[in-house]
Amino acid sequence: TFTVEEAVEAIGFGRFHIVLFLIMGSTGVAEAMEIMLIAVVSPLLRCEWQLRDWQVALVTTMVFFGYMVFSIVLGLLADRYGRWKILLLSFLWAAYFSLLTSFAPSYTWFVFLRAMVGGGVSGHAQGCSCSNPLLSLGKVFWLAGSLLIIGLASVVNPTIGWRWLIRIASLPGILLILVFKFIPESARYNVSTGNTGAALATLQSIARVNGVPMPEGHLRQPAKERRGRFKDLIHPKYLRTTLQIWIIW
């Protein structure tokens, strides 16, 4: 018999992981464009709707407020229903509300819709569990998305306006939805929920794409372990690390 971890080690790194990295990394482009968008449309909103300083600042605040709240909600849902489903939901959600934002008739609607976009974008983090081997390198995609939205803004804003910039910025997220069929559910998640058949199918697909054999034997479930709880983060053993990570973020 073998576990998921043992199968992953035996399969190794190959073509499948490169393709998955490119797809998951591209989520960083979409996420960065949606988040950095506010920086390049705020001056135009100030003029169009005669906004005060606090009103301009509130737009960015509400985007990250939505991000903060829904990252918790979507994280819990992903533990229950799977990473793939929540990742797809988050892209549909973010693209939908982003497009709606471009038709916002007033400042109040704009703030609300961007907060909902922030909530949808927060679910993109579920893709990190699919591409761990190259996780740190994936930050390059965020940088690319930031540069792209700034470059687009310099061309689009003075010509066809900020509403069209928002519509164009939502395109990467929409296009990524089309390649979701190439993204498998996490084998670790499937085996943790007792769905060893789906986990085995995923591992076999990865091995086939990488051109390596599967380990011999049957896939077994790992020993049950107690799931983490929020109060574990503030346990004296981990409190210092928890506070350090929160402050860094």
Side-chain angles (χ1 to χ4, degrees):
T1 61
F2 58 89
T3 64
V4 170
E5 286 71 21
E6 290 168 344
V8 169
E9 291 297 326
I11 293 171
F13 184 85
R15 287 175 293 179
F16 171 84
H17 299 89
I18 295 174
V19 173
L20 184 63
F21 168 70
L22 293 175
I23 295 175
M24 290 294 94
S26 297
T27 67
V29 175
E31 184 176 349
M33 291 181 70
E34 292 291 0
I35 296 297
M36 296 298 293
L37 178 69
I38 299 303
V40 292
V41 301
S42 291
L44 303 179
L45 298 179
R46 180 195 294 270
C47 294
E48 182 168 331
W49 288 326
Q50 299 298 304
L51 303 179
R52 299 179 180 178
D53 289 343
W54 70 267
Q55 291 175 306
V56 176
L58 184 63
V59 176
T60 303
T61 301
M62 290 306 295
V63 170
F64 284 102
F65 179 76
Y67 197 113
M68 178 182 69
V69 172
F70 284 99
S71 64
I72 299 172
V73 175
L74 294 178
L76 294 173
L77 290 176
D79 285 343
R80 179 177 292 272
Y81 299 108
R83 312 285 183 239
W84 189 91
K85 293 176 183 177
I86 299 305
L87 189 59
L88 176 60
L89 172 65
S90 71
F91 269 90
L92 291 170
W93 180 341
Y96 175 72
F97 282 105
S98 183
L99 286 174
L100 280 185
T101 304
S102 68
F103 299 99
S106 65
Y107 167 77
T108 302
W109 271 108
F110 187 90
V111 171
F112 169 74
L113 292 172
R114 290 317 292 183
M116 297 304 291
V117 172
V121 169
S122 70
H124 294 186
Q126 298 304 322
C128 293
S129 62
C130 299
S131 55
N132 278 334
L134 296 171
L135 185 58
S136 57
L137 184 59
K139 299 301 180 183
V140 172
F141 288 92
W142 176 281
L143 175 60
S146 301
L147 294 175
L148 180 58
I149 192 62
I150 293 171
L152 283 171
S154 66
V155 176
V156 175
N157 278 346
T159 53
I160 54 179
W162 63 268
R163 294 182 185 272
W164 276 104
L165 178 64
I166 293 177
R167 292 163 191 160
I168 294 172
S170 66
L171 289 179
I174 296 173
L175 293 175
L176 280 170
I177 294 172
L178 303 178
V179 300
F180 261 69
K181 64 180 180 180
F182 300 109
I183 305 173
E185 178 57 271
S186 167
R188 288 186 176 90
Y189 169 79
N190 278 329
V191 80
S192 70
T193 57
N195 194 354
T196 54
L200 183 61
T202 296
L203 293 170
Q204 290 172 337
S205 176
I206 296 173
R208 185 168 57 252
V209 174
N210 285 0
V212 297
M214 278 283 293
E216 296 181 357
H218 300 283
L219 179 63
R220 72 173 187 271
Q221 296 186 31
K224 291 290 184 180
E225 296 180 356
R226 185 180 67 84
R227 297 178 65 89
R229 295 171 296 179
F230 179 79
K231 67 179 184 180
D232 292 336
L233 296 176
I234 55 177
H235 187 278
K237 181 179 179 180
Y238 304 111
L239 181 59
R240 178 177 177 179
T241 302
T242 297
L243 293 176
Q244 286 176 334
I245 293 174
W246 285 354
I247 291 171
I248 289 171
W249 275 101

